[in-house]
């Protein structure tokens, strides 16, 4: 003979939304948010680096910055031991607790449609910042400071000649 009674077992699993870090006075579960245990601050320079790298990775962006920033980068590259061009050149950011805004100055390679390129840069920068920091990007303002012509690159790389 078999016994038809079913044994009742207590629930041993909890929904993923519940925490196992204690319960309230009446047995209800308390959920402790990670933010309640400390604070994370993301420096402006971190967001600027992410934005600069993301923008430089878009095909058609020849460089960042303009005028003085570009000239300083060129000088720094030619001085031994001075390091390479700054990742944050041409990038300005304002970072709050949950939002950020970005201003970019870019140099476009000749032949790329500027409006389309700016849209691609904006998309990449927003995706990179939001993915890596969790901050909401409220705006990415882009200023095109120059168009790099194909023959300009050859002129810059040619050695300087001095009259003897």
């Amino acid at each position: 003979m078999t016994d038809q009674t079913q044994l009742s077992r207590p629930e041993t699993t909890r929904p993923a939304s519940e925490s196992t870090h204690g319960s309230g006075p009446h047995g209800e579960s308390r959920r402790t948010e990670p933010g309640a245990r400390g604070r994370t601050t993301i420096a402006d320079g971190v967001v600027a680096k992410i934005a600069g790298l993301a923008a430089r990775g878009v095909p058609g962006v020849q460089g960042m910055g303009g005028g003085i920033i570009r000239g300083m980068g060129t000088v720094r590259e030619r001085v031994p031991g001075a390091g390479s061009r700054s990742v944050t050149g041409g990038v300005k950011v304002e970072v709050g607790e949950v939002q950020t805004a970005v201003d970019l100055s870019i140099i476009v390679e000749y032949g790329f449609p500027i409006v389309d390129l700016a849209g691609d840069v904006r998309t990449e920068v927003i995706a990179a910042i939001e993915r890596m920091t969790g901050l909401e990007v409220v705006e990415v303002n882009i200023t095109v400071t120059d168009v790099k012509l194909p023959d300009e690159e050859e002129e810059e790389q040619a050695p300087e000649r001095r009259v003897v």
Side-chain angles (χ1 to χ4, degrees):
M1 259 178 130
T2 59
D3 188 2
Q4 300 288 13
T5 21
Q6 290 184 342
L7 296 175
S8 173
R9 292 192 176 163
E11 186 72 31
T12 57
T13 59
R14 296 178 192 217
S17 64
E18 291 183 17
S19 172
T20 58
H21 297 291
S23 60
H26 302 290
E28 72 273 5
S29 177
R30 277 191 322 220
R31 184 166 184 221
T32 305
E33 295 294 324
R37 295 186 189 173
R39 182 176 160 177
T40 302
T41 302
I42 300 171
D44 292 9
V46 172
V47 175
K49 281 184 179 182
I50 294 168
L53 287 170
R56 281 179 174 79
V58 176
V61 175
Q62 193 279 329
M64 304 282 295
I68 294 173
I69 293 172
R70 224 170 118 204
M72 295 293 283
T74 302
V75 169
R76 185 176 22 202
E77 285 178 343
R78 293 182 183 177
V79 175
S84 60
R85 189 172 291 190
S86 170
V87 178
T88 59
V91 181
K92 292 181 184 174
V93 297
E94 291 182 32
V95 181
E97 288 187 27
V98 295
Q99 295 179 324
T100 188
V102 181
D103 293 329
L104 300 172
S105 296
I106 66 171
I107 301 157
V108 176
E109 290 180 29
Y110 179 80
F112 283 83
I114 293 174
V115 174
D116 295 342
L117 179 61
D120 292 346
V121 168
R122 190 171 285 111
T123 299
E124 289 298 314
V125 168
I126 290 170
I129 291 171
E130 289 184 348
R131 181 183 74 249
M132 293 182 70
T133 67
L135 294 169
E136 176 191 4
V137 180
V138 294
E139 65 182 9
V140 176
N141 300 309
I142 299 173
T143 302
V144 177
T145 59
D146 200 358
V147 174
K148 183 74 166 185
L149 302 175
D151 59 342
E152 285 180 336
E153 188 170 275
E154 294 169 11
E155 291 173 12
E156 284 181 9
Q157 293 179 359
E160 291 183 23
R161 295 186 180 192
R162 294 185 178 206
V163 177
V164 181

